[in-house]
């Protein structure tokens, strides 16, 4: 993976984790430099996908009928076990580091959404493969909206 800085490739090439931190740091300073003083800004963490047994084009499926138990979540998503959606947790670690002491508020939807492997459309609607990335409505995305409204109300109450 090749990262660029000021239009030029970073040499020698840096590992992806270092490059991601560079990108997030630049993004944070770029956005902060263009905000109105009264603006409220959020960064929403990643939505997990729940493919089991392969990716969408490799026979992966999400035929769960119930939310996952805590031990099932850890098995599927653990950084230690190199789980199914480990990159979301890794990116979130870098994200928290990059926006620490910034004006960004975090709307962390990843962890709560990891439990809802049962909330994907799967093969509904005649799909030829399981859709384990998008979400059924109404559902968990409504909860994300509720969290956003609650956080906005908290911020409003602090001002």
């Amino acid at each position: 993976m090749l990262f660029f800085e000021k239009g030029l490739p970073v040499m020698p090439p840096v590992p992806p984790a270092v490059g991601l931190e560079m990108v997030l740091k630049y993004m944070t300073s770029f956005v902060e430099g263009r905000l109105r003083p009264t603006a409220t800004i959020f960064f929403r963490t990643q939505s997990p996908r729940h493919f089991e047994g392969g990716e969408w084009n490799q026979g992966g499926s999400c035929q769960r009928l119930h939310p996952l138990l805590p031990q099932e979540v850890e098995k599927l998503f653990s950084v230690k076990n190199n789980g199914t959606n480990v990159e979301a947790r890794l990116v979130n670690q870098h994200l928290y580091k990059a926006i620490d002491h910034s004006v960004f508020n975090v709307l962390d939807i990843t962890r709560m959404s990891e439990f809802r492997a049962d909330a994907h459309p799967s093969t509904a609607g005649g799909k030829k493969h399981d859709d384990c990335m998008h979400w059924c409505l109404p559902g968990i995305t409504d909860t994300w909206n509720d969290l956003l409204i609650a956080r906005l109300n908290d911020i409003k109450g602090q001002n």
Side-chain angles (χ1 to χ4, degrees):
M1 189 174 282
L2 190 58
F3 292 92
F4 288 77
E5 188 171 39
K6 297 180 182 170
L8 299 171
V10 175
M11 291 301 200
V14 296
V18 173
L20 178 60
E21 287 182 9
M22 291 170 54
V23 168
L24 289 170
K25 183 178 177 182
Y26 178 77
M27 179 272 310
T28 302
S29 65
F30 179 85
V31 171
E32 285 180 336
R34 285 153 181 80
L35 283 179
R36 292 186 317 242
T38 58
T40 300
I41 188 165
F42 283 88
F43 197 104
R44 192 204 74 187
T45 60
Q46 292 188 39
S47 168
R49 62 189 200 281
H50 289 92
F51 289 103
E52 295 180 67
E55 290 296 325
W56 70 272
N57 60 348
Q58 298 171 338
S61 66
C62 51
Q63 298 291 322
R64 300 281 183 147
L65 300 177
H66 303 286
L68 298 175
L69 298 172
Q71 60 270 23
E72 292 173 307
V73 168
E74 283 312 304
K75 183 179 176 189
L76 277 174
F77 296 101
S78 169
V79 172
K80 179 180 65 176
N81 297 332
N82 196 28
T84 299
N85 204 40
V86 69
E87 66 277 356
R89 285 191 177 183
L90 291 171
V91 167
N92 288 347
Q93 289 173 4
H94 292 287
L95 170 69
Y96 277 106
K97 183 177 175 184
I99 64 174
D100 191 34
H101 304 299
S102 75
V103 298
F104 281 82
N105 294 280
V106 177
L107 188 64
D108 187 349
I109 58 98
T110 305
R111 178 73 177 151
M112 66 179 279
S113 303
E114 287 174 344
F115 287 87
R116 294 306 312 271
D118 61 319
H120 297 285
S122 190
T123 54
K127 295 182 190 245
K128 298 198 182 334
H129 59 80
D130 276 9
D131 182 349
C132 307
M133 294 176 63
H134 298 96
W135 300 92
C136 293
L137 297 174
I140 189 110
T141 56
D142 298 306
T143 305
W144 302 345
N145 292 333
D146 292 342
L147 288 173
L148 176 61
I149 297 301
R151 187 66 184 112
L152 287 169
N153 285 333
D154 287 346
I155 291 167
K156 182 181 175 185
Q158 294 171 5
N159 292 335

